[in-house]
Amino acid sequence: MANALFGTDRQSVGAVSDHGKGRHTTTRRELMLLPGGGVLIDTPGMREFHLWDAEVSEGFPDIEALGVDCRFRDCHHHQEPDCAVQAAARAGTLDPARLAAFHKLQDEQDQAARTRREKGSR
Ligand SMILES: [Zn+2]
């Protein structure tokens, strides 16, 4: 299911745990499946923003490659001006469904990170 979401095999993931087991401290990466189909990747000692940035990009190397031409370095490829990813989707060089999957994952990780912050965890 995670592989389907990312569109690639993810062999770097060390462990997959279910939702209830994610609270302990670990020294390895963890990938948690969230209700509703999201994934949360937890790497101890790293900031959440950095995490999602690295992990979302890792799963979408094509979008990442296109994104270097965006006007903004932190472009989310939604409604930003001069977005190379949106341009590619419009031009048909990028599958719009793939961009939609990217946005879905991005939103879910964003939301998961926000929930964790609200709970005051770590
Ligand atoms: Zn963009």
Side-chain angles (χ1 to χ4, degrees):
M1 132 66 191
N3 286 348
L5 237 174
F6 281 100
T8 59
D9 283 328
R10 296 180 51 77
Q11 287 158 351
S12 61
V13 174
V16 176
S17 70
D18 64 36
H19 192 55
K21 291 194 291 188
R23 266 177 281 103
H24 56 288
T25 304
T26 62
T27 53
R28 62 180 181 192
R29 278 180 164 191
E30 260 191 289
L31 187 150
M32 281 169 272
L33 304 181
L34 303 175
V39 272
L40 178 69
I41 294 146
D42 188 15
T43 303
M46 293 176 75
R47 299 289 306 271
E48 280 160 2
F49 173 78
H50 186 85
L51 275 183
W52 104 219
D53 195 35
E55 297 293 344
V56 173
S57 299
E58 200 178 293
F60 292 87
D62 47 349
I63 290 176
E64 174 71 356
L66 288 164
V68 299
D69 291 327
C70 291
R71 186 201 285 186
F72 302 111
R73 277 184 68 92
D74 63 344
C75 186
H76 285 197
H77 320 312
H78 268 291
Q79 302 293 332
E80 290 88 346
D82 294 340
C83 173
V85 175
Q86 290 179 66
R90 277 196 301 272
T93 47
L94 174 71
D95 183 357
R98 188 144 169 81
L99 182 55
F102 174 82
H103 282 150
K104 184 172 187 290
L105 180 63
Q106 200 179 52
D107 290 347
E108 283 170 0
Q109 292 209 345
D110 216 35
Q111 222 157 49
R114 206 175 306 131
T115 303
R116 278 154 55 101
R117 272 197 300 278
E118 279 163 9
K119 283 180 187 160
S121 61
R122 280 178 294 178

